[in-house]
Structures are given as structure tokens and as C-alpha cells.
Amino acid sequence: MSEETKVVEPQNQQTETQANEPVVEKAPEVTFTQQQLDNIIKQRLEAEKAKHQRILDEQKKADEDALKEKQVQEAKTKAELEKLMQERLAEKDKEINTFKSEIKKERVDNTILSVASKNKAISPSQIVSLLKDQVRLTDDNRVEVLDNNGNIRYNSRGELFTVEEQVKEFIDANPHFRQGSL
């Protein structure tokens, strides 16, 4: 603690030697015990800690509000992104189905047309339209001939019925689709 000094003016009743010299009085020294000093420091530290804790709490609340707002915006963005992805998936599915139908046309329809022409059908395209529902293309690009119930047909050897066998059987069963011999 700082010491204060007081200047006292000389009094008339004092001796001459004292009148010429100014008298300096010292303020009483304030002393604290270690426990009192610890308490003062503790109180100041707690006050500073409380002040900074309030600031941190306010900042934390502001950060949480900002995070909530960001999550709301991201949810909107996610919804838009998911919608966009669904649209793209739909486009790709449509494109895949287009390719599958082209492959089916090539592998099934053109095969039936070719076999019908080899077996001297009058109208091979008519045979294609009659038989193409009885032939399907699997996901692994195998051609399967189906019966009237939609089951896979097998020949007498236990093998898959072929398109050639199906067309030949149809023309033999319906000879009016075959050209006459000259």
C-alpha cells in the first residue's frame, strides 16, 4: 500500500526550531493477514471468472442459434439435393429401360423374325407380334421361352426351349402361316 504524507503547518505555540521545520506525519499502515489477502484475491478471481463465464455463455448461445439456423438451411438444401438426385435416378432408369427394350428388340424380335423367314413364313412380322410375348430377355441377357402360364419351357432333352424351336413349333401347328411350295 502507498504511504500518504501530510504536511502540517507549524503551530505558534511550538518552539522556534519546530516552527521552521515542517512536520511530516505518516498515515497508519494497513496490513492484512495472509487469509484476508487470499480472500480478497479469491473474490476478485471469482468476479472475473463470473464475468468471463457470462461472455462465454452468451457466445455459446449465439453459436447454438447459428448452428440451428445452419441445420435448417442444410435440411432445405438436403431436400433439394435429394429431389435432384431422385430426378436424375428417374432419368437413368428411363435410359436403362430404353436400352433394355432395344436389346430385347434386337435379341428377341429380330431373332423371331429371322427364324420365321428361314421357316418360310408368309408374314414373319406377324409371327413376331404373335410370339414376342412368349419370349423374354432376363437380366443376365438370356432368352427364355415361356408357356401360356408364364413358366419357362424346356425341351424333351431338359434344356431351355429355344426361339428356333418355338417358331418352328408355331408354324407347324399353324401351317396357314407357311408359304406354299411350288
Side-chain angles (χ1 to χ4, degrees), residues 18 35 111 126 142 150 171 176:
Q18 288 181 347
Q35 186 178 7
T111 302
Q126 188 177 14
R142 280 186 308 136
I171 291 177
H176 56 280

Side-chain angles (χ1 to χ4, degrees), residues 14-138:
Q14 295 179 349
T15 61
E16 234 177 81
T17 58
Q18 288 181 347
N20 291 341
E21 292 181 19
V23 177
V24 178
E25 290 183 16
K26 290 186 177 179
E29 265 190 45
V30 179
T31 58
F32 295 103
T33 64
Q34 185 65 40
Q35 186 178 7
Q36 290 172 331
L37 183 61
D38 289 345
N39 287 338
I40 292 170
I41 292 172
K42 184 178 177 183
Q43 288 173 352
R44 286 188 181 174
L45 283 174
E46 287 176 0
E48 284 295 313
K49 194 185 280 186
K51 179 176 123 181
H52 289 290
Q53 188 63 41
R54 272 194 319 273
I55 293 170
L56 286 174
D57 290 343
E58 290 172 2
Q59 183 64 37
K60 185 177 179 181
K61 187 174 185 323
D63 289 346
E64 287 174 356
D65 291 343
L67 180 63
K68 287 178 184 176
E69 183 65 32
K70 183 179 177 184
Q71 287 173 340
V72 167
Q73 289 182 0
E74 284 179 359
K76 290 178 184 176
T77 304
K78 284 180 184 178
E80 292 171 2
L81 180 63
E82 190 158 322
K83 181 180 177 186
L84 180 64
M85 293 302 287
Q86 292 296 332
E87 289 173 358
R88 287 186 181 173
L89 284 173
E91 288 174 9
K92 293 298 179 186
D93 287 343
K94 183 179 177 185
E95 189 176 329
I96 287 171
N97 288 334
T98 302
F99 287 134
K100 280 184 177 181
S101 67
E102 288 177 14
I103 290 172
K104 182 180 183 203
K105 182 178 180 186
E106 180 65 33
R107 298 267 328 255
V108 174
D109 295 359
N110 289 348
T111 302
I112 294 172
L113 186 66
S114 173
V115 173
S117 294
K118 285 181 188 174
N119 285 303
K120 299 182 181 180
I122 293 174
S123 176
S125 60
Q126 188 177 14
I127 292 178
V128 169
S129 57
L130 291 171
L131 294 181
K132 72 179 178 180
D133 292 335
Q134 296 177 359
V135 179
R136 78 170 171 205
L137 189 65
T138 62

Side-chain angles (χ1 to χ4, degrees), residues 124-163:
S125 60
Q126 188 177 14
I127 292 178
V128 169
S129 57
L130 291 171
L131 294 181
K132 72 179 178 180
D133 292 335
Q134 296 177 359
V135 179
R136 78 170 171 205
L137 189 65
T138 62
D139 290 335
D140 58 349
N141 288 327
R142 280 186 308 136
V143 176
E144 296 177 336
V145 177
L146 307 173
D147 62 10
N148 293 335
N149 296 326
N151 298 321
I152 299 172
R153 287 189 67 188
Y154 294 94
N155 59 22
S156 60
R157 296 181 304 274
E159 299 169 346
L160 288 175
F161 211 68
T162 64
V163 174

